[in-house]
mmCIF file of all heavy atoms in Angstrom:
data_model
loop_
_atom_site.group_PDB
_atom_site.id
_atom_site.type_symbol
_atom_site.label_atom_id
_atom_site.label_comp_id
_atom_site.label_asym_id
_atom_site.label_seq_id
_atom_site.Cartn_x
_atom_site.Cartn_y
_atom_site.Cartn_z
ATOM 1 N N GLU B 234 -39.563 -36.656 18.339
ATOM 2 C CA GLU B 234 -40.731 -35.763 18.390
ATOM 3 C C GLU B 234 -41.268 -35.474 16.985
ATOM 4 O O GLU B 234 -42.480 -35.393 16.776
ATOM 5 C CB GLU B 234 -40.354 -34.453 19.094
ATOM 6 C CG GLU B 234 -40.144 -34.629 20.590
ATOM 7 C CD GLU B 234 -39.493 -33.418 21.241
ATOM 8 O OE1 GLU B 234 -38.834 -32.621 20.523
ATOM 9 O OE2 GLU B 234 -39.613 -33.283 22.470
ATOM 10 N N LEU B 235 -40.351 -35.320 16.042
ATOM 11 C CA LEU B 235 -40.793 -35.070 14.664
ATOM 12 C C LEU B 235 -41.502 -36.299 14.097
ATOM 13 O O LEU B 235 -42.526 -36.175 13.409
ATOM 14 C CB LEU B 235 -39.595 -34.697 13.783
ATOM 15 C CG LEU B 235 -38.948 -33.339 14.083
ATOM 16 C CD1 LEU B 235 -37.716 -33.134 13.189
ATOM 17 C CD2 LEU B 235 -39.933 -32.198 13.875
ATOM 18 N N ALA B 236 -40.926 -37.475 14.407
ATOM 19 C CA ALA B 236 -41.548 -38.709 13.910
ATOM 20 C C ALA B 236 -42.942 -38.878 14.514
ATOM 21 O O ALA B 236 -43.892 -39.280 13.820
ATOM 22 C CB ALA B 236 -40.669 -39.907 14.265
ATOM 23 N N ALA B 237 -43.076 -38.522 15.804
ATOM 24 C CA ALA B 237 -44.390 -38.625 16.451
ATOM 25 C C ALA B 237 -45.379 -37.644 15.827
ATOM 26 O O ALA B 237 -46.559 -37.976 15.623
ATOM 27 C CB ALA B 237 -44.236 -38.350 17.951
ATOM 28 N N ALA B 238 -44.887 -36.443 15.526
ATOM 29 C CA ALA B 238 -45.760 -35.447 14.893
ATOM 30 C C ALA B 238 -46.234 -35.928 13.526
ATOM 31 O O ALA B 238 -47.391 -35.709 13.143
ATOM 32 C CB ALA B 238 -45.019 -34.113 14.753
ATOM 33 N N ALA B 239 -45.335 -36.603 12.817
ATOM 34 C CA ALA B 239 -45.706 -37.144 11.502
ATOM 35 C C ALA B 239 -46.770 -38.224 11.650
ATOM 36 O O ALA B 239 -47.741 -38.261 10.887
ATOM 37 C CB ALA B 239 -44.474 -37.696 10.803
ATOM 38 N N ALA B 240 -46.584 -39.075 12.671
ATOM 39 C CA ALA B 240 -47.559 -40.148 12.891
ATOM 40 C C ALA B 240 -48.926 -39.568 13.246
ATOM 41 O O ALA B 240 -49.965 -40.064 12.801
ATOM 42 C CB ALA B 240 -47.057 -41.068 14.002
ATOM 43 N N GLU B 241 -48.909 -38.496 14.067
ATOM 44 C CA GLU B 241 -50.179 -37.850 14.441
ATOM 45 C C GLU B 241 -50.951 -37.363 13.221
ATOM 46 O O GLU B 241 -52.175 -37.328 13.205
ATOM 47 C CB GLU B 241 -49.900 -36.630 15.337
ATOM 48 C CG GLU B 241 -49.575 -36.975 16.772
ATOM 49 C CD GLU B 241 -49.124 -35.724 17.535
ATOM 50 O OE1 GLU B 241 -49.422 -34.600 17.080
ATOM 51 O OE2 GLU B 241 -48.450 -35.896 18.564
ATOM 52 N N ARG B 242 -50.222 -36.987 12.214
ATOM 53 C CA ARG B 242 -50.878 -36.459 11.005
ATOM 54 C C ARG B 242 -51.108 -37.559 9.973
ATOM 55 O O ARG B 242 -51.467 -37.293 8.822
ATOM 56 C CB ARG B 242 -50.070 -35.333 10.402
ATOM 57 C CG ARG B 242 -49.856 -34.179 11.390
ATOM 58 C CD ARG B 242 -49.599 -32.894 10.692
ATOM 59 N NE ARG B 242 -50.782 -32.406 10.002
ATOM 60 C CZ ARG B 242 -51.745 -31.674 10.566
ATOM 61 N NH1 ARG B 242 -51.683 -31.366 11.850
ATOM 62 N NH2 ARG B 242 -52.773 -31.275 9.850
ATOM 63 N N GLY B 243 -50.856 -38.807 10.388
ATOM 64 C CA GLY B 243 -51.173 -39.938 9.529
ATOM 65 C C GLY B 243 -50.130 -40.253 8.476
ATOM 66 O O GLY B 243 -50.396 -41.017 7.537
ATOM 67 N N LEU B 244 -48.931 -39.645 8.622
ATOM 68 C CA LEU B 244 -47.862 -39.945 7.661
ATOM 69 C C LEU B 244 -47.198 -41.262 8.037
ATOM 70 O O LEU B 244 -46.916 -41.508 9.208
ATOM 71 C CB LEU B 244 -46.808 -38.837 7.666
ATOM 72 C CG LEU B 244 -47.227 -37.475 7.096
ATOM 73 C CD1 LEU B 244 -46.122 -36.449 7.324
ATOM 74 C CD2 LEU B 244 -47.529 -37.593 5.607
ATOM 75 N N SER B 245 -46.914 -42.086 7.058
ATOM 76 C CA SER B 245 -46.209 -43.325 7.332
ATOM 77 C C SER B 245 -44.741 -43.007 7.652
ATOM 78 O O SER B 245 -44.251 -41.911 7.354
ATOM 79 C CB SER B 245 -46.269 -44.243 6.107
ATOM 80 O OG SER B 245 -45.505 -43.675 5.054
ATOM 81 N N GLN B 246 -44.048 -43.991 8.250
ATOM 82 C CA GLN B 246 -42.620 -43.793 8.563
ATOM 83 C C GLN B 246 -41.824 -43.527 7.293
ATOM 84 O O GLN B 246 -40.912 -42.693 7.272
ATOM 85 C CB GLN B 246 -42.084 -45.023 9.293
ATOM 86 C CG GLN B 246 -42.539 -45.108 10.738
ATOM 87 C CD GLN B 246 -41.787 -46.178 11.516
ATOM 88 O OE1 GLN B 246 -40.888 -46.829 10.987
ATOM 89 N NE2 GLN B 246 -42.156 -46.376 12.765
ATOM 90 N N ALA B 247 -42.156 -44.274 6.248
ATOM 91 C CA ALA B 247 -41.418 -44.094 4.989
ATOM 92 C C ALA B 247 -41.657 -42.697 4.426
ATOM 93 O O ALA B 247 -40.741 -42.036 3.917
ATOM 94 C CB ALA B 247 -41.864 -45.152 3.978
ATOM 95 N N HIS B 248 -42.899 -42.251 4.562
ATOM 96 C CA HIS B 248 -43.229 -40.911 4.077
ATOM 97 C C HIS B 248 -42.465 -39.852 4.868
ATOM 98 O O HIS B 248 -41.900 -38.898 4.314
ATOM 99 C CB HIS B 248 -44.739 -40.704 4.216
ATOM 100 C CG HIS B 248 -45.310 -39.815 3.155
ATOM 101 N ND1 HIS B 248 -46.619 -39.858 2.774
ATOM 102 C CD2 HIS B 248 -44.735 -38.858 2.395
ATOM 103 C CE1 HIS B 248 -46.827 -38.959 1.828
ATOM 104 N NE2 HIS B 248 -45.689 -38.342 1.583
ATOM 105 N N PHE B 249 -42.438 -40.023 6.190
ATOM 106 C CA PHE B 249 -41.704 -39.087 7.047
ATOM 107 C C PHE B 249 -40.225 -39.083 6.700
ATOM 108 O O PHE B 249 -39.587 -38.022 6.579
ATOM 109 C CB PHE B 249 -41.903 -39.452 8.524
ATOM 110 C CG PHE B 249 -40.970 -38.720 9.444
ATOM 111 C CD1 PHE B 249 -41.016 -37.331 9.560
ATOM 112 C CD2 PHE B 249 -40.014 -39.417 10.189
ATOM 113 C CE1 PHE B 249 -40.141 -36.650 10.396
ATOM 114 C CE2 PHE B 249 -39.142 -38.738 11.019
ATOM 115 C CZ PHE B 249 -39.201 -37.361 11.128
ATOM 116 N N ALA B 250 -39.650 -40.286 6.532
ATOM 117 C CA ALA B 250 -38.221 -40.379 6.195
ATOM 118 C C ALA B 250 -37.931 -39.673 4.874
ATOM 119 O O ALA B 250 -36.899 -38.994 4.718
ATOM 120 C CB ALA B 250 -37.804 -41.847 6.126
ATOM 121 N N SER B 251 -38.848 -39.808 3.952
ATOM 122 C CA SER B 251 -38.659 -39.166 2.648
ATOM 123 C C SER B 251 -38.667 -37.635 2.785
ATOM 124 O O SER B 251 -37.833 -36.935 2.206
ATOM 125 C CB SER B 251 -39.776 -39.623 1.707
ATOM 126 O OG SER B 251 -39.795 -38.823 0.549
ATOM 127 N N TRP B 252 -39.608 -37.135 3.586
ATOM 128 C CA TRP B 252 -39.662 -35.684 3.777
ATOM 129 C C TRP B 252 -38.439 -35.174 4.533
ATOM 130 O O TRP B 252 -37.887 -34.125 4.208
ATOM 131 C CB TRP B 252 -40.950 -35.285 4.510
ATOM 132 C CG TRP B 252 -42.091 -35.149 3.564
ATOM 133 C CD1 TRP B 252 -43.207 -35.925 3.486
ATOM 134 C CD2 TRP B 252 -42.193 -34.188 2.508
ATOM 135 N NE1 TRP B 252 -44.017 -35.514 2.460
ATOM 136 C CE2 TRP B 252 -43.419 -34.433 1.843
ATOM 137 C CE3 TRP B 252 -41.381 -33.155 2.059
ATOM 138 C CZ2 TRP B 252 -43.837 -33.689 0.751
ATOM 139 C CZ3 TRP B 252 -41.802 -32.408 0.978
ATOM 140 C CH2 TRP B 252 -43.017 -32.667 0.336
ATOM 141 N N LEU B 253 -38.019 -35.929 5.533
ATOM 142 C CA LEU B 253 -36.858 -35.509 6.318
ATOM 143 C C LEU B 253 -35.628 -35.390 5.420
ATOM 144 O O LEU B 253 -34.851 -34.428 5.516
ATOM 145 C CB LEU B 253 -36.597 -36.513 7.445
ATOM 146 C CG LEU B 253 -35.451 -36.147 8.399
ATOM 147 C CD1 LEU B 253 -35.737 -34.824 9.114
ATOM 148 C CD2 LEU B 253 -35.223 -37.249 9.428
ATOM 149 N N ARG B 254 -35.465 -36.372 4.542
ATOM 150 C CA ARG B 254 -34.332 -36.320 3.612
ATOM 151 C C ARG B 254 -34.432 -35.070 2.714
ATOM 152 O O ARG B 254 -33.436 -34.390 2.476
ATOM 153 C CB ARG B 254 -34.288 -37.589 2.762
ATOM 154 C CG ARG B 254 -33.268 -37.550 1.623
ATOM 155 C CD ARG B 254 -33.051 -38.903 1.002
ATOM 156 N NE ARG B 254 -32.191 -39.750 1.819
ATOM 157 C CZ ARG B 254 -30.867 -39.693 1.811
ATOM 158 N NH1 ARG B 254 -30.238 -38.841 1.039
ATOM 159 N NH2 ARG B 254 -30.153 -40.497 2.579
ATOM 160 N N THR B 255 -35.643 -34.780 2.257
ATOM 161 C CA THR B 255 -35.846 -33.596 1.406
ATOM 162 C C THR B 255 -35.446 -32.317 2.149
ATOM 163 O O THR B 255 -34.756 -31.447 1.610
ATOM 164 C CB THR B 255 -37.327 -33.499 0.979
ATOM 165 O OG1 THR B 255 -37.674 -34.691 0.283
ATOM 166 C CG2 THR B 255 -37.569 -32.288 0.083
ATOM 167 N N TRP B 256 -35.855 -32.211 3.422
ATOM 168 C CA TRP B 256 -35.540 -31.006 4.195
ATOM 169 C C TRP B 256 -34.034 -30.895 4.453
ATOM 170 O O TRP B 256 -33.467 -29.814 4.405
ATOM 171 C CB TRP B 256 -36.281 -31.016 5.540
ATOM 172 C CG TRP B 256 -37.781 -31.071 5.384
ATOM 173 C CD1 TRP B 256 -38.522 -30.614 4.339
ATOM 174 C CD2 TRP B 256 -38.702 -31.649 6.302
ATOM 175 N NE1 TRP B 256 -39.842 -30.860 4.539
ATOM 176 C CE2 TRP B 256 -40.007 -31.486 5.743
ATOM 177 C CE3 TRP B 256 -38.580 -32.274 7.541
ATOM 178 C CZ2 TRP B 256 -41.164 -31.937 6.391
ATOM 179 C CZ3 TRP B 256 -39.729 -32.712 8.188
ATOM 180 C CH2 TRP B 256 -40.996 -32.557 7.611
ATOM 181 N N LEU B 257 -33.421 -32.051 4.722
ATOM 182 C CA LEU B 257 -31.980 -32.033 4.968
ATOM 183 C C LEU B 257 -31.220 -31.663 3.694
ATOM 184 O O LEU B 257 -30.260 -30.886 3.727
ATOM 185 C CB LEU B 257 -31.515 -33.393 5.492
ATOM 186 C CG LEU B 257 -31.989 -33.743 6.909
ATOM 187 C CD1 LEU B 257 -31.713 -35.219 7.215
ATOM 188 C CD2 LEU B 257 -31.283 -32.860 7.944
ATOM 189 N N GLU B 258 -31.639 -32.215 2.580
ATOM 190 C CA GLU B 258 -30.971 -31.890 1.315
ATOM 191 C C GLU B 258 -31.179 -30.426 0.932
ATOM 192 O O GLU B 258 -30.344 -29.822 0.265
ATOM 193 C CB GLU B 258 -31.468 -32.823 0.204
ATOM 194 C CG GLU B 258 -30.913 -34.242 0.349
ATOM 195 C CD GLU B 258 -31.507 -35.220 -0.658
ATOM 196 O OE1 GLU B 258 -32.537 -34.883 -1.272
ATOM 197 O OE2 GLU B 258 -30.936 -36.323 -0.802
ATOM 198 N N ALA B 259 -32.281 -29.863 1.373
ATOM 199 C CA ALA B 259 -32.545 -28.441 1.105
ATOM 200 C C ALA B 259 -31.723 -27.532 2.023
ATOM 201 O O ALA B 259 -31.628 -26.328 1.782
ATOM 202 C CB ALA B 259 -34.030 -28.141 1.287
ATOM 203 N N GLY B 260 -31.143 -28.109 3.063
ATOM 204 C CA GLY B 260 -30.384 -27.285 4.006
ATOM 205 C C GLY B 260 -31.268 -26.564 5.006
ATOM 206 O O GLY B 260 -30.874 -25.551 5.578
ATOM 207 N N ALA B 261 -32.459 -27.086 5.244
ATOM 208 C CA ALA B 261 -33.427 -26.382 6.087
ATOM 209 C C ALA B 261 -33.244 -26.667 7.579
ATOM 210 O O ALA B 261 -33.874 -25.993 8.401
ATOM 211 C CB ALA B 261 -34.842 -26.754 5.665
ATOM 212 N N LEU B 262 -32.445 -27.673 7.928
ATOM 213 C CA LEU B 262 -32.324 -28.058 9.338
ATOM 214 C C LEU B 262 -30.875 -28.031 9.800
ATOM 215 O O LEU B 262 -29.947 -28.291 9.021
ATOM 216 C CB LEU B 262 -32.890 -29.467 9.538
ATOM 217 C CG LEU B 262 -34.405 -29.613 9.330
ATOM 218 C CD1 LEU B 262 -34.791 -31.095 9.300
ATOM 219 C CD2 LEU B 262 -35.169 -28.884 10.428
ATOM 220 N N CYS B 263 -30.712 -27.711 11.056
ATOM 221 C CA CYS B 263 -29.401 -27.787 11.691
ATOM 222 C C CYS B 263 -29.506 -28.766 12.853
ATOM 223 O O CYS B 263 -30.582 -28.925 13.441
ATOM 224 C CB CYS B 263 -28.971 -26.432 12.243
ATOM 225 S SG CYS B 263 -28.723 -25.170 10.985
ATOM 226 N N VAL B 264 -28.396 -29.394 13.183
ATOM 227 C CA VAL B 264 -28.369 -30.223 14.385
ATOM 228 C C VAL B 264 -28.167 -29.291 15.571
ATOM 229 O O VAL B 264 -27.137 -28.624 15.683
ATOM 230 C CB VAL B 264 -27.241 -31.273 14.318
ATOM 231 C CG1 VAL B 264 -27.159 -32.026 15.638
ATOM 232 C CG2 VAL B 264 -27.486 -32.239 13.167
ATOM 233 N N ALA B 265 -29.203 -29.199 16.417
ATOM 234 C CA ALA B 265 -29.111 -28.300 17.566
ATOM 235 C C ALA B 265 -28.370 -28.966 18.715
ATOM 236 O O ALA B 265 -27.591 -28.331 19.424
ATOM 237 C CB ALA B 265 -30.515 -27.895 18.010
#
Side-chain angles (χ1 to χ4, degrees):
Chain B
E234 289 168 338
L235 291 177
E241 282 172 20
R242 302 204 69 85
L244 291 173
S245 68
Q246 285 191 3
H248 212 156
F249 168 63
S251 168
W252 276 113
L253 183 61
R254 172 168 282 278
T255 302
W256 300 333
L257 291 168
E258 287 174 345
L262 293 169
C263 296
V264 175

